[in-house]
Amino acid sequence: MRFYSGMLRGHWSLVIWILLSGVLTGCLSSSQEATLTAPGSPPQVWPPPPHRPRIRFVKVLARPEDLGIQPSFWQRVGEVFAGKEEAWFVRPTGVAADGGVVYVADAGAQALWVLDARAGRFQRFRDAGGPRLVSPVAVAAGKNGQVFLADSYLARVFVYDAGGKLTGSIAGPDLRRPTGLAYDAGRDRLYVADSASHRVWIFGGDGSLRGALGRRGTGEGEFNFPTHVALDREGTLYVTDSLNFRVQLIRPDGSVAGRLGRHGDSSGDFAAPKGISLDADGHIYVVDGLFDAVQIFDRRGRYLLTFGERGIAPGQFWLPNGLFIDGRNQIYVADAFNQRIQIFEYLGGGDDE
């Protein structure tokens, strides 16, 4: 497939801080006014006309009501006795979706949001088995409604069942700052990017340690602050190797399958690579927090397209972080400092152009 290519504009101040924001910091918040969008704005597509559109803006998700979800009876009763707490995202850094349910790791609200539009309900969890969550930054869906949530400050991955009950946690003396999660249901493997140890840990769904990938370095199979991970249908792992300014591809057997990206400020380069995911055609999407954009590559690592820019309007970002693409090619971007999730759609098109 040949996408229309556009150039990126780099923003070079505070590179290291931005790369690690949401990983090394605690809670931050910004005005909820940043979530407001212009009513009646027409849908946005990338690339712009007259080129064939490949990506379409769908909607902004900043609170449950944006999915048509209203507080339940018991939630309203709780508001009467405990005081009303506004149901807005504060600093969403991780997102996943499964079976019509959207999961949001909100480091600013110190909570996991579970938004079920079909059932018309939402839940907000803060339980960490005694203490509360501190810095939940990444989320992944497991089997049968199971949810994995990484708290970078507590150095644990918490496990919740379909009802939101905390059923366990994954920890260890060498797990230091978990920041990215990906679950392989076929192999029952949970991959955890650990930025502080410069490794990717491999656990079973039951929390048993099965191995580790990498060490600190710049060579093949080595990492320098890995932050996010994603899987393709064959089980190949894609690791955002943030301070090496690249994405590395790791086969299920642990061997390196390739890499993409380099440090720079041109199209296809990286300044602050973060969230990563793949669409149904195998295209690779990478958030760049410094460019305030998402770049798309083909399976050979060739740059195809960029969408997004700095701003607060639909299709614009402010320090975006996590990224997830569901089975319907809906693209969820955690637009962290705009306090929202933006939803886009990959329109397909094949390899005919």
Side-chain angles (χ1 to χ4, degrees):
M1 175 184 296
R2 288 188 293 172
F3 286 83
Y4 171 77
S5 297
M7 295 299 293
L8 292 172
R9 295 182 179 179
H11 308 288
W12 287 102
S13 61
L14 303 178
V15 176
I16 302 301
W17 177 83
I18 293 173
L19 273 168
L20 301 180
S21 65
V23 174
L24 301 181
T25 61
C27 297
L28 296 174
S29 62
S30 56
S31 171
Q32 290 178 346
E33 293 178 0
T35 64
L36 299 178
T37 58
S41 297
Q44 298 183 14
V45 296
W46 293 264
H51 304 280
R52 182 174 181 177
R54 305 293 185 174
I55 303 295
R56 179 178 71 90
F57 170 79
V58 177
K59 69 185 306 177
V60 164
L61 172 58
R63 54 182 181 169
E65 285 86 344
D66 293 330
L67 290 178
I69 302 172
Q70 299 297 326
S72 68
F73 170 78
W74 291 112
Q75 285 171 326
R76 292 194 296 270
V77 169
E79 290 173 356
V80 171
F81 290 97
K84 185 175 182 179
E85 182 180 6
E86 293 294 333
W88 289 78
F89 301 151
V90 179
R91 183 165 55 89
T93 53
V95 60
D98 183 56
V101 181
V102 179
Y103 305 94
V104 179
D106 189 339
Q110 298 177 295
L112 166 66
W113 298 79
V114 180
L115 311 176
D116 190 339
R118 294 179 180 176
R121 65 172 181 263
F122 76 93
Q123 296 172 288
R124 179 170 39 195
F125 303 112
R126 295 190 172 99
D127 180 21
R132 287 160 58 109
L133 296 169
V134 177
S135 182
V137 295
V139 62
K143 292 182 178 179
N144 303 317
Q146 188 180 51
V147 184
F148 300 101
L149 180 73
D151 190 303
S152 63
Y153 182 85
L154 296 176
R156 289 178 177 266
V157 177
F158 295 96
V159 186
Y160 301 85
D161 65 16
K165 179 182 178 181
L166 180 66
T167 61
S169 65
I170 300 171
D174 296 320
L175 180 61
R176 297 169 57 191
R177 193 167 292 276
T179 56
L181 299 174
Y183 180 67
D184 184 337
R187 297 175 177 84
D188 189 32
R189 290 182 179 180
L190 177 67
Y191 294 91
V192 182
D194 186 345
S195 295
S197 71
H198 311 283
R199 292 181 177 179
V200 176
W201 300 100
I202 307 172
F203 296 93
D206 61 357
S208 59
L209 180 63
R210 296 190 179 179
L213 301 170
R215 61 182 181 181
R216 190 167 196 179
T218 60
E220 187 177 88
E222 297 177 333
F223 304 115
N224 192 11
F225 291 95
T227 59
H228 294 78
V229 285
L231 290 160
D232 66 17
R233 293 177 179 177
E234 288 72 43
T236 298
L237 183 71
Y238 296 72
V239 183
T240 303
D241 189 6
S242 65
L243 290 187
N244 280 329
F245 306 98
R246 64 189 181 186
V247 171
Q248 292 202 67
L249 286 62
I250 313 294
R251 299 184 183 93
D253 64 5
S255 61
V256 177
R259 53 174 284 185
L260 61 90
R262 62 183 181 183
H263 191 202
D265 61 356
S266 298
S267 298
D269 295 343
F270 293 136
K274 294 196 172 191
I276 185 167
S277 194
L278 292 89
D279 64 29
D281 288 334
H283 302 117
I284 306 156
Y285 296 62
V286 185
V287 169
D288 197 296
L290 199 58
F291 291 147
D292 295 300
V294 178
Q295 297 193 78
I296 307 174
F297 301 82
D298 69 11
R299 284 164 286 190
R300 298 180 181 178
R302 296 177 300 183
Y303 168 78
L304 300 174
L305 176 69
T306 293
F307 67 93
E309 59 185 17
R310 177 168 292 182
I312 64 172
Q316 297 178 329
F317 303 113
W318 185 13
L319 298 184
N321 199 305
L323 174 71
F324 183 82
I325 303 176
D326 67 16
R328 299 183 298 122
N329 282 325
Q330 298 284 298
I331 306 160
Y332 300 80
V333 181
D335 189 7
F337 279 73
N338 276 330
Q339 300 180 272
R340 63 190 182 186
I341 304 295
Q342 291 203 63
I343 304 175
F344 302 83
E345 181 181 16
Y346 168 55
L347 302 175
D351 298 320
D352 55 340
E353 294 186 16

